[in-house]
Amino acid sequence: APGVSQATPANGGRVDERGRTLIQARLADDRSGVDVASVRLRVDGLDVTDDARVTQDGITYRERLGDGQHRAELVVRDRAGNVNRTAWSFRVV
């Protein structure tokens, strides 16, 4: 399955930035490659993929999130059909 690493904000982390919160992760698959069209990012249950920048190497999304707990869920497939589902939570203060 493809790898997901360096997800930010960190799981359990606190974000105390003004403006738009940056959510990102690195993607990798050293065999068949990441199927970029299959990548899906949900934030607090909403699919925000269309507003994200998705490349072979990663995904980046910026949004003004309210104070409180938030959850990001990332689904990535490789070209062979293997799936990686990764989820993490963080708090905006």
Side-chain angles (χ1 to χ4, degrees):
V4 175
S5 63
Q6 300 176 8
T8 59
N11 188 37
R14 290 174 44 129
V15 178
D16 48 338
E17 60 187 31
R18 303 283 186 237
R20 295 165 51 145
T21 301
L22 174 64
I23 299 172
Q24 63 184 5
R26 305 257 321 141
L27 309 175
D29 187 273
D30 59 356
R31 297 221 169 162
S32 64
V34 171
D35 178 1
V36 173
S38 77
V39 175
R40 293 289 172 262
L41 176 64
R42 291 183 182 273
V43 176
D44 298 331
L46 298 173
D47 187 337
V48 298
T49 309
D50 289 344
D51 296 322
R53 182 173 171 264
V54 182
T55 67
Q56 197 68 29
D57 299 326
I59 185 166
T60 303
Y61 173 73
R62 282 188 186 274
E63 183 59 67
R64 186 177 305 277
L65 299 177
D67 289 352
Q69 191 74 18
H70 297 278
R71 179 176 171 83
E73 301 169 61
L74 183 59
V75 177
V76 183
R77 285 184 172 79
D78 64 16
R79 292 187 189 130
N82 301 305
V83 179
N84 181 326
R85 288 179 172 83
T86 301
W88 66 101
S89 297
F90 55 92
R91 178 173 294 281
V92 174
V93 294

